[in-house]
Each structure stands twice: as structure tokens, then as C-alpha cells.
Amino acid sequence: QQQVKQSPQSLIVQKGGISIINCAYENTAFDYFPWYQQFPGKGPALLIAIRPDVSEKKEGRFTISFNKSAKQFSLHIMDSQPGDSATYFCAASKGGYQKVTFGTGTKLQVIP
Amino acid sequence: DTAVSQTPKYLVTQMGNDKSIKCEQNLGHDTMYWYKQDSKKFLKIMFSYNNKELIINETVPNRFSPKSPDKAHLNLHINSLELGDSAVYFCASSQGPAANEQFFGPGTRLTVL
């Protein structure tokens, strides 16, 4: 059962544009929502994470928007750059030693 | 210095063989994980160990057996390899719970012929 649904599967954005990736979850017990970035041939790396007590978190050009009532969260990449081209995974966890459940990934391509 | 390392990086083998993948982390973390990433890039937890004790065991076939000789190492042994085992296997570690940042290794691409 897919507990974290991610869309779109792929995304092409012009350099300087805004990239938006959306995720929806089902389990209201989730309380930690990270985003991981994966470059080809590499392991995923944590990009930014949010907990449900805030509705938005910003780190540089990357922002997570969180809507607890809708059980949705999204990643916004402002001023997208070719170096941002990678696969992005949203994820969710109940916390503690519970597993992190990953979304299906979004392949982002930023074209010059 | 590599934080989470895996060996080998590539593994090509025949169906029915037994193989092992080794993982080491030098971050001082107490929790380690094995993930499987299939051809569609779907990332799924297989196992998690905390201080050498198994704490997460997803519905993985018994042919897969993890072993953690100490906090810094988590190895994965796979018996009787099948075509469907072909994937990239990632080791990861975190300090404490999974809800903390996980650091992933570079992955081991396993191809079963």
C-alpha cells in the first residue's frame, strides 16, 4: 500500500523558473516529512525536512509548504538551476524508530 | 573521508548464487539501514538495526539476511539470487531514530543474470 503519493513523475522547468513537487499522505500519525535529493549514480541526500507544527520551512531556494488538514506537502524550488536536475523524493515517518516511507520520486530536469 | 561506504559498487552474478554486500559508516551513528531501489527508482526499506539489534524487518524474503557485527557495520547476505533481486541496494545510517537525517551510501548495483 502506497502511503505517500508523489506527483508529478517527471518535470521539466526552464532555468530561473519555479519547480513544484507535490506529495500526499494517508497516515495522520506521520510527524516528520523530509525531502531527499538524488543525483544519478549517487545515494539520496537530505535536502530539507519539516514537522507538522509549522506550515512552511524555507532553506535558501528550497521551501516546504505543509497543509496538515489536507494531508499534503510540497517542495518549491525557486530560481531553478541546471544543477538542481535530480530525482526528488518526499517521505514521511511516524517518528521514533519507525521506518521512513518514501514517495515514488520526481525526476526534475532544469533546462538552460 | 567517506561517511557511509559500501562494497562492491557493482555486482554481476548468475541466478542461484549467494552474494554479500558490505556497509561501513564512520559517523558514529547507532542506527543503520538497508534500502532497495528498483528500476523505477522506488526506494523501499528492507531492514534497520539500532545498536546491532534488528528493529525493522519489512516483508523481505528469507533469502536476505542482514548481519551487524558492530554499530559501524551492517552487511547484507543474499542466498539463491533471483532475477527480481536486480536493483540498487543502499546502506544508510542515522543517529538515533529514522526521523533524524539519514546518510546514504553510494549504492551497490546488483545485476542477476
Side-chain angles (χ1 to χ4, degrees):
Chain A
Q1 183 183 3
Q2 179 61 41
Q3 295 191 53
V4 180
K5 294 183 180 178
Q6 183 171 348
S7 62
Q9 188 174 1
S10 62
L11 183 60
I12 299 176
V13 173
Q14 290 270 353
K15 179 183 174 181
I18 302 173
S19 304
I20 301 174
I21 304 170
N22 300 301
C23 284
Y25 63 97
E26 299 164 4
N27 192 333
T28 54
F30 286 147
D31 66 356
Y32 174 70
F33 302 89
W35 284 89
Y36 280 80
Q37 179 188 55
Q38 183 179 26
F39 292 106
K42 304 289 185 184
L46 181 68
L47 185 63
I48 186 172
I50 197 168
R51 297 191 188 268
D53 52 345
V54 296
S55 60
E56 187 174 282
K57 184 174 181 179
K58 184 176 180 179
E59 288 184 3
R61 296 184 294 109
F62 301 91
T63 299
I64 300 178
S65 296
F66 185 81
N67 186 329
K68 189 173 181 178
S69 60
K71 293 189 285 185
Q72 294 176 347
F73 59 111
S74 59
L75 177 70
H76 296 234
I77 306 174
M78 311 300 288
D79 186 27
S80 298
Q81 299 296 312
D84 297 331
S85 297
T87 299
Y88 292 80
F89 294 92
C90 64
S93 169
K94 295 180 195 177
Y97 287 93
Q98 298 296 314
K99 67 179 181 180
V100 173
T101 299
F102 285 82
T104 48
T106 296
K107 186 173 182 179
L108 170 66
Q109 185 180 359
V110 181
I111 54 177
Chain B
D1 260 352
T2 304
V4 182
S5 59
Q6 295 178 228
T7 53
K9 188 163 177 61
Y10 300 96
L11 193 49
V12 181
T13 188
Q14 299 284 336
M15 272 177 53
N17 284 350
D18 303 340
K19 290 293 179 185
S20 292
I21 306 171
K22 294 186 176 182
C23 177
E24 177 181 4
Q25 55 94 3
N26 63 8
L27 298 167
H29 289 167
D30 58 4
T31 308
M32 296 185 72
Y33 313 83
W34 277 111
Y35 285 89
K36 179 180 180 180
Q37 186 170 49
D38 62 22
S39 58
K40 294 184 178 179
K41 297 289 190 182
F42 188 56
L43 198 60
K44 193 173 182 339
I45 183 77
M46 299 174 70
F47 302 103
S48 175
Y49 273 74
N50 175 255
N51 283 319
K52 303 193 298 175
E53 293 210 11
L54 182 66
I55 55 172
I56 293 175
N57 184 348
E58 286 295 282
T59 49
V60 177
N62 290 340
R63 300 181 294 103
F64 291 79
S65 53
K67 280 190 172 55
S68 181
D70 56 57
K71 276 192 341 180
H73 296 84
L74 180 61
N75 303 322
L76 184 65
H77 187 75
I78 315 170
N79 289 327
S80 304
L81 279 155
E82 301 178 357
L83 292 176
D85 297 331
S86 294
V88 180
Y89 292 84
F90 286 101
C91 176
S93 72
S94 68
Q95 182 53 39
N100 294 334
E101 179 177 1
Q102 294 188 31
F103 291 79
F104 283 77
T108 295
R109 181 174 292 278
L110 171 64
T111 303
V112 182
L113 303 174

